[in-house]
Amino acid sequence: MTIAPDDARRDTLRYRAMRDIVERMQDGVPGKLEITKEGIVHDMMAPGRPHELTAAQVSRRLEKVMPDEFMAHTGTPDVEDEPEGVMRHPDVMVIAVADMEGAGSFDPRTILAAVEVVSRSNPDNDWVSKMRDYPLLGIPVYVIFDPRTGSGAVCSDIHSTPSGPRYATRKDFLYGEDVTIGEWTISTEKLPRYS
């Protein structure tokens, strides 16, 4: 006797219910709603200027060094894997232009790198939850910029662990150093800091 199909069906129904809640509430609440294995995450504060400026500068710097068939996308839609029960919205997504075509959420397996700018109000969402969720989704490179400390990390090389997929390699950097994201290297000079 197996109960896996019932558990899988219950997980799918739970995820769809959370997805419906997020869709109905997103426009009416400040900040951003995402879905993790633990439930709905609400980053209460709308991103401020240093956060948005960092995301925009990282995107612009990446697009200057990438071929035209790739984008460092800062908009919508979300990255979603319904079977895993995870929906995230990276601050910057490195993706092929061809993989952006169509409707609905982006398939996480098409994302070459996810870049997050640490939120002042909920840093654990970027340093802990997304560090767990992005390798689970199969996103090969996860980069964190932390305006609180003027530092960050590039995580790569997904490998299996007893707790699920994790990044095996982490390269820390300080603002002012060059950082390599996938195949492309950009400067972190003059990125804004939280005051």
Side-chain angles (χ1 to χ4, degrees), residues 50-159:
H51 180 283
E52 293 300 290
L53 182 56
T54 300
Q57 287 184 339
V58 168
S59 172
R60 177 179 282 176
R61 291 173 189 186
L62 277 167
E63 288 192 344
K64 284 182 179 178
V65 297
M66 293 188 311
D68 289 342
E69 62 265 19
F70 296 99
M71 290 189 72
H73 180 61
T74 58
T76 58
D78 297 307
V79 174
E80 181 176 31
D81 188 329
E82 185 173 324
E84 288 294 346
V86 176
M87 182 188 72
R88 290 297 198 164
H89 186 88
D91 293 319
V92 180
M93 295 173 259
V94 178
I95 185 170
V97 172
D99 290 327
M100 295 181 72
E101 296 174 0
S105 297
F106 290 135
D107 179 340
R109 290 166 291 282
T110 65
I111 305 298
L112 303 175
V115 177
E116 294 290 356
V117 180
V118 173
S119 166
R120 188 191 316 246
S121 64
N122 189 6
D124 284 350
N125 187 35
D126 298 308
W127 281 109
V128 178
S129 298
K130 291 180 182 179
M131 187 76 78
R132 177 200 60 236
D133 288 349
Y134 286 154
L136 177 69
L137 295 175
I139 297 173
V141 177
Y142 174 39
V143 186
I144 305 167
F145 288 85
D146 195 337
R148 299 171 311 150
T149 60
S151 65
V154 178
C155 303
S156 60
D157 302 320
I158 298 172
H159 70 115

Side-chain angles (χ1 to χ4, degrees), residues 37-52:
K37 288 296 216 182
E38 285 76 39
I40 296 173
V41 173
H42 182 202
D43 194 352
M44 296 281 290
M45 300 188 61
R49 287 183 184 183
H51 180 283
E52 293 300 290

